[in-house]
DNA sequence: ACAAAAAATGTAACCGCTTACATTCAGTTT
DNA sequence: AAACTGAATGTAAGCGGTTACATTTTTTGT
């Protein structure tokens, strides 16, 4: 306690100071803080009293070094910009906090190369476990994590065939359900605005879900017009204009997420079309925006908060050992609003 | 390299391994990584070669313990739920990343007690610097940070009178500007839906801005109906209903942020009112939602991304020493859309 | 009351890295 | 060639905790 820290700040008390103040050894202080059960009532009280008299707080770097765990959990998400992951991330963080863990965040901007970099960066930083979005990534990375014994959970997707711990929903089935609904309304000429499907398994599965529905309904899946673009309102707007400019414009445009759908909707209205009378538009995610759009969006409700919370619990279980973590499939439910209606006659 | 890590994972190479492989001392390895300038070309190459042959990555906890800096920067924001802080936080993180720092996140749910807890938690975790939102907090906390010599930046607000490093805009002046515009449209009976002003200086300043405008226009500031509520769409909806139920309902409802405004707008439309013919509604922030609401929202545009980026730069400067950091006032500009119009005759 | 078992506490090594200081080495200067 | 530099490298002492193991204290059984 008598030495000032390197930056000239105020001296910060250490275990040794607390030990001295309480008249015990540093080991006992450490035990009082980490496994209070094994020390006697009397010393526990004595030590805790000293702790808060001195305002002691353990140095996490030292603790991390000695115990080989940082109590930090990393999350690598495609973006924090819009609400797609924000709610889930918030829930994830709340759950971690409740359990004394801290959240490390990095964003990959939907790029695999950046994601890889971030995974390595966060593990180097000592993240005890990781939250990852979707399954698509180089198998090298999965091997890296397995070798290092770093627990991870794949969220926002659920595929029982995949060997990874995951918490999410079946993107393909959810979109299939929505597409069934669309087709049930008499739409025959469908189009789709999607994120890049090459590196984004959720986007890919959603498109597959549409194809499944078409096939089941006797429509040719190849007749589905697909535009792949980035997840932005303007991109949705532009894509929609391209689609309706085609020789046989679709009567329904199924979008890979709500952001694209809102962009498409904006374009439709700007072009003087009536939604849903002239064209139906659907989204995916059910972010706040969806219910508040100029025409409330028909979409698929994704259980953001529960996903975040369950993902945190799964990782904590994986770290703590008990009970063993298990993958969880959460339901994604149709959310029917105003942008979907019967196909115009013709 | 011959010992396996505690969890039974694969052995992770250490400086000692690299040193042995390169035939130098650990000090030299450390220097190659941290100040390559002071070692000879030859050894540098030798060491770097060994580093990537062994796949060595420094252990950050050890590094942090030894060097007394973690290269992690903490951000404590009220919420990640909606887009209010998300864009800024994303920009903040990008800038940190570009400079080899990692972002630690905690959210306070707009509660001072939780914020205090988080500030202490993140500093205990070793955050080298902190991003804080707004000025309002116990002076004990500021003293704590000063004593510990932990740089911090206050963002989303800018008040030259405050002694803290800050990056943001003048909430009062920005709202004043908007209120001037509202009053200029002939509105005389104003109301305001705000977040709690007791613990939220940004909310408070915004309300003060409205009062400034009223005073300047010869209106009695005391005639401003204020409802304080939480930042949620439903809260805005409920507050609006309460306001229009009064004996002399306002012709313009100025909301503390876009989320509240969208709620108010929803309520107005649900009540069968025409916006802006029957009532004007304004927001604040210009989040994505604002431009896409059923009636596009008149609001104040806040430079989210630049704030995040500048805040990061200011902290990096404070840590690096050069150049010395300085507070920055960014402009917040009026964003006139459809929800504001002339007051109805009467 | 005494030995044995159990519980509580202390001692000290170690986690992996940085860095002050000591040492070595190569190049100048005289 | 000796003495003197300054640059490059090595040695080893921490950084602040945790924890295996040793030791002391308390409890239990007879």
């Amino acid at each position: 306690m008598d030495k000032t820290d390197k930056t000239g700040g105020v001296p910060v008390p250490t275990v040794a100071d607390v030990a001295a103040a309480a008249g015990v050894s540093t080991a006992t202080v450490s035990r009082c803080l980490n496994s209070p059960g094994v020390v006697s009532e009397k010393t526990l009280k004595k030590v805790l009293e000293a702790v808060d008299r001195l305002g002691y707080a353990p140095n996490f770097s030292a603790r991390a070094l000695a115990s080989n765990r940082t109590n930090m959990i990393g999350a690598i998400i495609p973006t924090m910009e819009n609400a797609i992951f924000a709610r889930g991330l918030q829930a994830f963080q709340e759950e971690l906090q409740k359990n004394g863990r801290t959240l490390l965040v990095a964003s990959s901007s939907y790029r695999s190369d950046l994601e890889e970099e971030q995974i390595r960066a966060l593990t180097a930083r000592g993240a005890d476990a990781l939250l990852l979005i979707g399954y698509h990534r180089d198998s090298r990375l999965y091997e890296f994590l397995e070798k290092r014994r770093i627990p991870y959970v794949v969220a926002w997707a659920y595929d029982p065939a995949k060997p990874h711990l995951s918490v999410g929903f079946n993107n393909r089935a959810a979109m299939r359900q929505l597409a069934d609904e669309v087709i049930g309304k008499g739409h025959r000429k469908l189009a789709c605005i999607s994120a890049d499907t090459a590196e984004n398994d959720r986007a890919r599965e959603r498109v597959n879900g549409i194809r499944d529905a078409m096939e089941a309904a006797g429509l040719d899946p190849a007749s589905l017009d697909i535009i792949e673009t980035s997840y932005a309102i303007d991109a949705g707007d532009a894509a929609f204009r391209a689609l309706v400019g085609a020789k046989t414009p679709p009567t329904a445009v199924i979008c890979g997420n709500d952001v694209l759908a809102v962009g498409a909707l904006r374009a439709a209205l700007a072009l003087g079309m009536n939604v849903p009378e002239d064209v139906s538009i659907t989204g995916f995610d059910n972010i706040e925006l969806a219910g508040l759009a100029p025409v409330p969006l028909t979409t698929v409700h994704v259980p953001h908060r529960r996903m975040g919370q369950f993902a945190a619990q799964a990782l904590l279980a994986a770290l703590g050992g008990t009970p063993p973590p298990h993958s969880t499939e959460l339901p994604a439910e149709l959310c029917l609003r105003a942008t979907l209606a019967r196909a115009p006659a013709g």
Side-chain angles (χ1 to χ4, degrees), chain A:
Chain A
M1 183 87 153
D2 36 31
K3 77 191 155 4
T4 192
D5 89 12
K6 300 184 185 179
T7 57
V10 106
V12 173
T14 69
V15 256
D17 300 318
V18 176
V24 300
S25 73
T26 63
T28 299
V29 173
S30 178
R31 281 188 284 257
C32 286
L33 269 32
N34 299 307
S35 23
V38 312
V39 302
S40 74
E41 277 296 317
K42 215 176 48 187
T43 43
L44 180 59
K45 212 172 62 182
K46 217 167 43 180
V47 168
L48 293 185
E49 189 275 331
V51 162
D52 72 38
R53 184 154 48 79
L54 270 58
Y56 169 77
N59 176 314
F60 278 74
S61 302
R63 182 184 285 212
L65 179 57
S67 64
N68 205 31
R69 30 165 55 226
T70 59
N71 286 315
M72 296 189 304
I73 291 184
I76 296 152
I77 57 174
T79 181
M80 296 185 264
E81 292 267 336
N82 55 45
I84 305 179
F85 301 105
R87 292 232 295 277
L89 192 63
Q90 166 85 22
F92 186 73
Q93 189 261 349
E94 285 170 10
E95 190 67 23
L96 292 185
Q97 194 162 284
K98 202 180 300 176
N99 289 276
R101 308 305 211 282
T102 304
L103 173 63
L104 272 174
V105 180
S107 69
S108 65
S109 308
Y110 286 100
R111 285 177 44 192
S112 320
D113 56 334
L114 288 184
E115 198 211 24
E116 165 154 8
E117 207 173 278
Q118 313 278 28
I119 289 179
R120 295 191 189 277
L122 293 194
T123 58
R125 281 256 187 266
D128 288 334
L130 293 181
L131 170 74
L132 302 174
I133 304 295
Y135 292 103
H136 181 95
R137 55 185 56 81
D138 200 297
S139 62
R140 265 201 345 275
L141 277 172
Y142 284 120
E143 283 158 21
F144 169 77
L145 293 173
E146 302 289 359
K147 257 200 211 129
R148 285 289 199 85
R149 297 280 165 87
I150 297 176
Y152 60 87
V153 59
V154 167
W156 266 259
Y158 179 85
D159 178 348
K162 292 287 201 310
H164 313 289
L165 176 63
S166 30
V167 173
F169 53 94
N170 187 321
N171 280 278
R172 185 169 188 159
M175 185 59 108
R176 158 81 194 263
Q177 219 184 325
L178 177 62
D180 280 344
E181 190 75 21
V182 171
I183 294 171
K185 295 280 189 192
H187 293 277
R188 291 292 171 268
K189 178 61 193 167
L190 307 182
C192 167
I193 305 178
S194 170
D196 168 56
T197 56
E199 299 211 327
N200 182 329
D201 54 295
R202 289 147 289 137
R204 190 163 57 240
E205 289 296 288
R206 290 177 194 175
V207 172
N208 285 336
I210 304 176
R211 294 211 179 95
D212 290 347
M214 294 178 78
E215 199 138 22
L219 299 178
D220 177 12
S223 73
L224 178 69
D225 277 343
I226 303 183
I227 291 192
E228 295 193 3
T229 183
S230 60
Y231 273 156
I233 293 195
D234 291 339
D237 183 311
F240 183 87
R241 290 170 194 268
L243 286 172
V244 299
K247 58 260 160 249
T248 56
T251 63
V253 176
I254 298 178
C255 301
N257 77 3
D258 289 344
V259 175
L260 290 174
V262 165
L265 175 60
R266 188 181 73 184
L269 300 178
L271 291 170
M273 302 176 77
N274 292 314
V275 178
E277 294 78 7
D278 300 333
V279 63
S280 285
I281 294 175
T282 65
F284 202 111
D285 282 343
N286 194 26
I287 60 177
E288 210 156 48
L289 190 51
L292 296 157
V295 184
L297 214 59
T298 285
T299 186
V300 173
H301 176 77
V302 166
H304 306 279
R305 289 196 57 92
R306 287 208 301 156
M307 245 174 353
Q309 190 188 353
F310 281 37
Q313 289 169 352
L315 289 180
L316 291 168
L319 288 170
T322 58
H326 55 277
S327 292
T328 311
E329 178 171 15
L330 295 169
E333 284 153 9
L334 241 47
C335 182
L336 301 171
R337 294 206 187 88
T339 55
L340 171 63
R342 290 211 67 78

